[in-house]
Amino acid sequence: MLKKTAILFYSLLMFATAFAQHENVENQHGKPVTETPELSGKEERRKEVKEFVDHHILDAHDVALMVKGGHHIGFPLPVIIYDEGFHFFMSNTEGVDGHEFIHGSPVESNGKFYTLNHEKIYRTDSKGTLTLDKDHHPTEKRVLDLSITKSVLVIFLVAIFMIVLFGGMARSYKKSLVPSGAAKFLEPLVIFVRDDIAIPNIGHKYKRFMGYLLTVFFFILFLNVLGLMPFGINVTGNIAITFCLAIVTYLITTFSGSKDYWKHIFWMPGVPVPMKFIMMPIEILGTLTKPFALMIRLFANMTAGHIVVMTLIGSIYIFENWIAGVAFPFLTFVIYLLEVLVAFLQAYVFTMLSALFIGMAVEEHEHEHAH
Amino acid sequence: MEDKKNNASDSLRKYGKYSSVVFQMLFIIGISFWGGHQLDLYFETGSNVLVLVIGLSGLCLSLYTTVKRLEILNKEEQDNAKQK
């Protein structure tokens, strides 16, 4: 109990410091104050840590494995833009001012200039001018960005990995039903998804949905686990990805809905007639809130986890004393263990809730026909 | 062991069902207040009258739907208990 309280207290303290830092940086922007060199060094470090965390949770147009002596070690990725025709170039293409595209230099492609600002591509002029509005967002036209970004690359790799892994597993079962190799680890998980997620929630119609549930479970699980590794991969913490996953669940629920499901939505039993009309739009809205909750849950959990771990590591370099040097690595380790649990739990919860919503849609209420 | 496992997944299932009710409630309240505000701006009423009227009726409606949903969930649970 005491341990839990202590961890909670430290986490709260960390959040407080994180917010305090944020305000300080804002103040610094607002009012130019004369500072001692020592303070500005610390402020600089705080800003650096904040930028590092902000950068980490975003998708990127290149893969940076590490930074050594100011140089990023990694590899570029292709940039694909649709702006009145397709434009292709690599993200390390040298721009007009001699720097690379990923470092903010405008790049010419088919007579037009493009520049990168906070991982978003804008059409600009040959000097790369961006006019910022009051919220610091550029007013220039954003283009349709179809690039193979870091997240897209990782999704492709995970997809190929899953096909190879499960394809191999399926072949091995043709020879013998005794699991071999990776199947030894994965068979219990597959059985778990079937017996603990699909059957209790969906019932006897579970077989049709097993393909989706297994895919989504392992996809989220592998991406969550990859996110914990030191390559800066944060795919499930990207709202676009969780949005697409939730959309698939929504489509499956909508298209496999039974008569009873639709009756509950359009003509709810057990309420007076005038209320049935009012309930109709609310119930239709209800079908949307369920996948919305799925989307937010996975996104928020993964993003929060990444931010907390990164902030804790960053705090070592901000405080720079022996207490911080001992406390923060320890705290990071504790939170990291929690994140390992969250990685598995969120994959489970997403699959479980998808199965639950599908189950609610395909369910036929026998008891209602009786009375 | 088997019972414990079932209990855990049962409670998670309940959590899923009830949390979707909560999200629906939040959505209705949010949309009615936001919609009221937008209509206030659109009709240029110059006051918050539509926010209050639409928002508060949305609030009542959300309470009504929540109660109805909970009734249904409760009934389902009782039916399940009877089957067991």
Side-chain angles (χ1 to χ4, degrees):
Chain A
M1 189 63 211
L2 194 67
K3 210 165 138 195
K4 265 189 194 167
T5 325
I7 291 170
L8 200 69
F9 176 73
Y10 274 121
S11 322
L12 283 174
L13 201 71
M14 265 327 298
F15 273 115
T17 7
F19 281 115
Q21 284 160 25
H22 185 75
E23 274 167 21
N24 279 346
V25 171
E26 295 279 302
N27 279 346
Q28 205 191 5
H29 278 305
K31 296 177 244 168
V33 279
T34 43
E35 288 163 343
T36 55
E38 194 193 4
L39 188 70
S40 81
K42 209 164 190 176
E43 289 288 321
E44 199 62 38
R45 186 110 356 119
R46 281 183 182 176
K47 218 171 126 186
E48 214 174 291
V49 167
K50 192 176 173 288
E51 265 170 26
F52 186 63
V53 176
D54 283 350
H55 184 77
H56 169 80
I57 56 169
L58 283 179
D59 197 1
H61 283 81
D62 67 328
V63 178
L65 295 173
M66 60 190 286
V67 183
K68 201 176 177 190
H71 288 286
H72 288 261
I73 299 173
F75 51 90
L77 291 168
V79 176
I80 307 164
I81 306 170
Y82 183 79
D83 181 28
E84 296 158 8
F86 284 101
H87 302 262
F88 299 93
F89 51 90
M90 291 303 280
S91 66
N92 66 343
T93 311
E94 206 170 281
V96 284
D97 62 2
H99 290 97
E100 291 176 358
F101 176 70
I102 35 168
H103 297 133
S105 174
V107 161
E108 193 205 343
S109 169
N110 302 342
K112 293 190 182 94
F113 289 90
Y114 298 99
T115 190
L116 197 66
N117 182 288
H118 288 285
E119 298 303 336
K120 293 191 173 73
I121 299 174
Y122 297 88
R123 195 206 282 178
T124 172
D125 56 11
S126 61
K127 285 187 189 114
T129 345
L130 286 176
T131 21
L132 301 180
D133 63 9
K134 64 178 190 320
D135 299 321
H136 299 285
H137 296 304
T139 49
E140 270 76 11
K141 188 186 168 223
R142 263 184 71 188
V143 291
L144 186 60
D145 185 3
L146 302 169
S147 309
I148 310 290
T149 58
K150 191 164 73 174
S151 294
V152 178
L153 180 79
V154 174
I155 290 173
F156 281 156
L157 291 179
V158 167
I160 294 168
F161 175 67
M162 277 170 71
I163 291 170
V164 171
L165 192 69
F166 291 105
M169 217 172 125
R171 268 195 305 279
S172 88
Y173 280 112
K174 273 184 191 155
K175 283 184 216 135
S176 137
L177 282 179
V178 181
S180 62
K184 278 181 198 158
F185 290 108
L186 294 171
E187 193 187 88
L189 282 174
V190 173
I191 300 288
F192 169 77
V193 173
R194 188 190 70 186
D195 290 351
D196 279 283
I197 297 178
I199 295 177
N201 287 306
I202 305 178
H204 64 280
K205 288 178 186 165
Y206 77 94
K207 264 194 180 155
R208 262 200 293 163
F209 306 104
M210 275 306 282
Y212 173 64
L213 293 177
L214 283 172
T215 310
V216 89
F217 178 78
F218 285 106
F219 183 69
I220 295 176
L221 180 66
F222 288 154
L223 285 177
N224 283 354
V225 172
L226 270 179
L228 291 173
M229 300 205 175
F231 306 115
I233 296 163
N234 180 28
V235 180
T236 37
N238 185 329
I239 201 153
I241 312 290
T242 58
F243 174 77
C244 289
L245 291 172
I247 282 277
V248 179
T249 299
Y250 173 71
L251 290 178
I252 292 177
T253 2
T254 309
F255 287 113
S256 55
S258 68
K259 208 168 60 192
D260 281 325
Y261 173 70
W262 292 113
K263 195 182 160 197
H264 261 85
I265 289 171
F266 287 108
W267 206 245
M268 193 182 232
V271 292
V273 176
M275 281 315 280
K276 285 184 201 267
F277 286 104
I278 300 173
M279 294 293 270
M280 203 190 291
I282 287 175
E283 284 301 308
I284 294 170
L285 194 73
T287 62
L288 289 173
T289 58
K290 283 177 202 146
F292 181 81
L294 271 184
M295 169 182 91
I296 294 293
R297 192 176 284 119
L298 182 60
F299 162 73
N301 271 294
M302 296 327 288
T303 309
H306 280 257
I307 291 177
V308 169
V309 170
M310 300 293 274
T311 317
L312 286 177
I313 296 173
S315 305
I316 306 168
Y317 301 98
I318 291 172
F319 288 97
E320 272 189 326
N321 56 36
W322 69 270
I323 301 176
V326 176
F328 286 117
F330 173 72
L331 208 59
T332 313
F333 178 68
V334 174
I335 298 285
Y336 193 87
L337 285 185
L338 195 72
E339 283 306 306
V340 175
L341 178 75
V342 169
F344 280 85
L345 192 71
Q346 286 307 316
Y348 170 59
V349 166
F350 194 98
T351 320
M352 223 280 307
L353 291 180
S354 293
L356 181 76
F357 298 149
I358 293 169
M360 282 159 120
V362 296
E363 188 180 26
E364 274 156 25
H365 299 270
E366 278 150 30
H367 55 275
E368 266 168 26
H369 300 302
H371 56 79
Chain B
M1 183 62 206
E2 197 59 30
D3 266 1
K4 210 176 167 186
K5 222 167 138 189
N6 275 344
N7 274 343
S9 82
D10 240 26
S11 56
L12 246 167
R13 198 171 318 137
K14 271 183 199 157
Y15 156 75
K17 282 185 181 176
Y18 290 113
S19 76
S20 68
V21 174
V22 173
F23 263 97
Q24 193 174 358
M25 192 176 172
L26 284 177
F27 240 70
I28 297 166
I29 297 171
I31 279 191
S32 51
F33 273 94
W34 178 80
H37 180 66
Q38 291 299 313
L39 285 177
D40 254 341
L41 291 180
Y42 182 76
F43 290 117
E44 291 169 359
T45 52
S47 66
N48 287 336
V49 62
L50 288 175
V51 174
L52 283 175
V53 172
I54 298 176
L56 290 179
S57 48
L59 191 70
C60 296
L61 203 61
S62 74
L63 285 173
Y64 181 81
T65 47
T66 308
V67 170
K68 276 286 151 206
R69 278 253 152 233
L70 291 180
E71 264 177 25
I72 293 171
L73 288 179
N74 210 2
K75 212 169 118 193
E76 270 173 19
E77 261 170 40
Q78 277 173 358
D79 285 345
N80 284 344
K82 261 183 212 167
Q83 274 174 11
K84 274 178 192 169

